[in-house]
Structures are given as C-alpha cells and as structure tokens.
C-alpha cells in the first residue's frame, strides 16, 4: 500500500471526524449518523495501516482519533460489580475451559515427571547424598523435622499471605513469559516438579511418604492445578506466536494476551483459596483424612466451576477476552 496516496485519499474524512468531535454544540441527527460512519471507516483505515504500512506517527494520530470517536459513540463506560460477576461466572471459567487442551496434558506430564523424579531420588542413595549431607537429610525427614514444621513455622495468616504472593507471582510469570515461545514456562514447571519430586523421594526413602502426602495434598491439589492452568495458557500463548491460525499474528496475540491477563486475575483468586488452605488447614490438628478431604473438595469444586460454568459460557461464544465494543477494530481475515 502506498501510504502517501492512502493519506491523501482519506485525510479529509479524518479531518471531518476530528471537526465533529470538537463541536461544542449538540450534534443533530444527520451529524450523528455522519460521525458513526466516519468512526467506522477511520477504524478500518487504522487497522489497514497497522497491518500493511505501519507508521508510528500516523498510527498514533488515528488511534487517538478512533478512541475519541468510540467514546463519543458508545459513551463513557464505568466498570461495575456486574462486570465483576460476569467475569467470574463467564469470562474466567470460559478462558480456563478453552485452554483445557493445553493445561490438562501439562498437568498429566508434569505429575508424571514429579513421580519419576521422586522414584529416582527415593531409590538411589547416591542421588540423595548429592542433595544434602546425611545429617541434614535426617533433620528434614524425621518426625517433627523441617518438612513437617514448615507449614506451622509462621502464624497462619502471614504464612497464607506469603504463600499466596509467591504462587501468584509464579502463575503470572508463566502467563507473561509464555510469549517467548513458552520456553521459560517449561523451566518454571521443571523447577516446581523438581521441588515436589525431591520431597517425595526423600520422605519415601525415610518411610514417611504418607506423612508428606498428608501435608501436601490438602492445598497442593488446587495450588498445582492453578499453576498448570497458568503454564498451559502460557504455552498456548507461545504457540500463538508460531501459529496464529487464520488471524493475523498481531490480532491473535492481542486476543490471547487479553485473555491471559484476565486469567492472571482469576488464578490469583484461586491461589488465594489454596493459600488459605495451606495456612489454616494443612498445619491444623485435623485428622489427615479430613485435611485431604477439604483439598479434594476444593479441587472438585474448581473443576466443576470450569467444566460446568466455563463449558456453558464457552459454548455460548465466550472467550475470556474483553467485550467486543472494547476491542480495537480489525479488518476481517479469510479463514
């Protein structure tokens, strides 16, 4: 596209739209119709320039013009509790449901890796010796040792807040760093599974695997699910860079990126629940079966939330992206 010719052909329309937006008096019916038509055409022009002949100065000017026109056409919109409710009942569960083909395999493979690492560490004393000295290993795995006292080492409220912050940061990193072809996400997953595998292996070698699982499962089921969802979404975002499908790479990344931001907010809430369980339930005096039952119920509730509410919303067309009128205008692409 010849940018100079394009600008010469449409400058009058942009100037006219700018003039209508600057009018101090109330527009009449014909002027309102003209404003809407010019807004739609200018939005299309902006999309064409962005995809075919990006020019920073012209793109900036038209972006501002389109934003002002959109505000004039649709009116100023304020977020409300209704938006929050819609996000929690439609947007977030639908986004998780849509990405299930990424995070479910991620969860299965990661769990397998942790189990294999745990078996390898637990059955090879030389590997255990490379982790720590024998006295240090006994201190970690003995009754009342570091693995058991870890969950009650701080007041429950502050411990839950610390756990929530750390896990939310890990989930956010998976979502954000996915754009780098998903490679950092794989590294974060490996570190998490390595930590889990070490605990499984060392406690199994000490004959106390049941104690370890009784401490990890109450909060770990929901916590790891949230991490797997974040990792799967990050990997999906990385794959979008490679294969955007029928969409342009720019629009595909914009759509998936907006959904990922919403996912980060939703997963922070999920991790808040798992952090509360880890801070108040895991170190409690409840029987092991009761603590594990609470973790299982929390996990089942989340899966039902995703597959029932999310599945219904996804089948109705919800993607987890912002509403259509809040998105940038794009030129349709052929499949």
């Amino acid at each position: 596209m010849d940018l100079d010719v394009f600008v010469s052909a449409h400058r009058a329309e942009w100037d006219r739209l700018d003039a209508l937006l600057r009018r101090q008096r109330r527009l009449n019916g014909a002027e309102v119709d003209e404003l809407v038509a010019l807004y739609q055409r200018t939005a299309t022009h902006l999309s064409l320039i962005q995809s075919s002949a990006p020019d920073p100065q012209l793109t900036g000017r038209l972006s501002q013009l389109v934003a002002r026109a959109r505000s004039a056409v649709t009116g100023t919109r304020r977020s409300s509790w209704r938006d929050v409710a819609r996000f929690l009942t439609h947007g977030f569960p639908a986004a998780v449901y849509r990405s299930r083909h990424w995070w479910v395999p991620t969860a299965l493979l990661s769990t397998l890796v942790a189990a294999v690492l745990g078996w390898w560490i637990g059955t090879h004393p030389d590997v255990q010796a490379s982790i720590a000295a024998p006295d240090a290993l006994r201190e970690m795995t003995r009754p009342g040792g570091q693995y058991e006292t870890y969950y009650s080492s701080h007041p429950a409220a502050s411990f839950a807040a610390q756990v929530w912050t750390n896990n939310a940061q890990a989930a956010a990193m998976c979502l954000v760093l996915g754009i780098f072809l998903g490679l950092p996400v794989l590294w974060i997953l490996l570190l998490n599974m390595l930590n889990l595998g070490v605990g499984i292996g060392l406690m199994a070698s000490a004959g106390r695997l049941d104690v370890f699982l009784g401490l990890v499962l109450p909060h770990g089921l929901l916590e790891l699910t949230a991490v797997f969802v974040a990792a799967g979404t990050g990997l999906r975002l990385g794959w979008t860079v490679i294969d955007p499908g029928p969409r342009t790479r720019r629009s595909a990344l914009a759509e998936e990126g907006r959904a990922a931001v919403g996912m980060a907010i939703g997963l922070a809430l999920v991790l808040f629940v798992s952090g509360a369980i880890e801070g108040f339930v895991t170190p409690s005096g409840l029987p092991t079966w009761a603590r594990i039952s609470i973790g299982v119920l929390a996990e089942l509730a989340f899966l039902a939330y995703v597959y029932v509410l999310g599945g219904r919303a996804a089948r109705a067309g919800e993607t987890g992206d912002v509403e259509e009128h809040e998105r940038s205008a794009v030129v349709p692409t052929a499949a």
Side-chain angles (χ1 to χ4, degrees):
M1 180 176 67
D2 190 318
L3 188 60
D4 292 334
V5 173
F6 188 85
V7 171
S8 298
H10 299 289
R11 185 191 300 275
E13 293 176 298
W14 304 338
D15 291 342
R16 174 59 177 166
L17 176 59
D18 183 62
L20 288 173
L21 293 172
R22 293 178 182 277
R23 287 277 175 89
Q24 298 297 320
R25 63 173 176 79
R26 188 182 183 89
L27 301 180
N28 58 39
E31 289 173 331
V32 170
D33 291 340
E34 184 183 10
L35 173 64
V36 172
L38 288 172
Y39 158 61
Q40 293 173 334
R41 286 203 292 271
T42 303
T44 301
H45 298 160
L46 173 60
S47 183
L48 283 170
I49 292 171
Q50 288 176 326
S51 59
S52 302
D55 178 88
Q57 185 174 359
L58 182 60
T59 299
R61 179 199 170 191
L62 292 185
S63 295
Q64 293 181 1
L65 188 59
V66 168
R68 289 167 52 209
R70 181 188 292 120
S71 178
V73 171
T74 63
T76 302
R77 184 177 182 277
R78 295 181 179 178
S79 298
S80 64
W81 287 110
R82 191 175 188 180
D83 297 315
V84 176
R86 178 172 179 79
F87 169 74
L88 293 176
T89 58
H90 292 77
F92 173 58
V96 178
Y97 180 83
R98 286 180 64 242
S99 63
R100 68 193 185 282
H101 297 303
W102 286 90
W103 64 262
V104 171
T106 298
L108 295 176
L109 289 174
S110 298
T111 303
L112 179 61
V113 168
V116 170
L117 285 172
W119 168 82
W120 180 56
I121 293 170
T123 56
H124 291 75
D126 55 324
V127 177
Q128 299 168 30
S130 68
I131 295 174
D135 290 343
L137 294 179
R138 281 193 295 271
E139 178 61 28
M140 285 190 288
T141 59
R142 68 175 177 83
Q146 293 176 10
Y147 273 118
E148 289 188 38
T149 59
Y150 169 76
Y151 297 101
S152 56
S153 58
H154 296 87
S158 62
F159 183 73
Q162 179 183 351
V163 167
W164 175 51
T165 301
N166 292 339
N167 290 332
Q169 287 177 345
M173 287 176 63
C174 285
L175 292 168
V176 173
L177 297 178
I179 198 169
F180 297 104
L181 304 182
L183 298 178
V185 178
L186 297 176
W187 177 247
I188 293 172
L189 271 178
L190 179 60
L191 291 179
N192 276 272
M193 293 306 101
L194 181 59
N195 288 333
L196 180 60
V198 168
I200 291 173
L202 294 181
M203 289 294 276
S205 67
R208 310 192 69 235
L209 180 60
D210 56 335
V211 175
F212 181 76
L213 294 179
L215 291 170
V216 170
L217 290 180
H219 64 273
L221 290 172
L222 188 60
E223 178 184 296
L224 286 176
T225 299
V227 172
F228 293 146
V229 170
T233 304
L235 292 173
R236 177 179 179 174
L237 186 61
W239 184 253
T240 301
V241 177
I242 300 172
D243 181 16
R247 303 166 292 180
T248 65
R249 184 166 281 103
R250 181 192 297 270
S251 62
L253 283 175
E255 180 179 339
E256 299 299 337
R258 289 190 299 263
V261 170
M263 191 88 80
I265 298 172
L267 289 178
L269 298 176
V270 176
L271 288 168
F272 177 81
V273 175
S274 72
I277 295 174
E278 188 169 0
F280 294 94
V281 176
T282 298
S284 71
L286 292 173
T288 300
W289 67 265
R291 288 185 279 111
I292 293 179
S293 296
I294 291 173
V296 170
L297 288 175
E299 174 73 0
L300 292 176
F302 177 71
L303 293 178
Y305 168 72
V306 169
Y307 278 88
V308 177
L309 281 183
R312 183 185 305 149
R315 287 188 291 273
E318 180 67 57
T319 64
D321 195 359
V322 297
E323 295 186 42
E324 186 174 0
H325 68 271
E326 295 178 342
R327 307 172 198 167
S328 299
V330 296
V331 176
T333 56

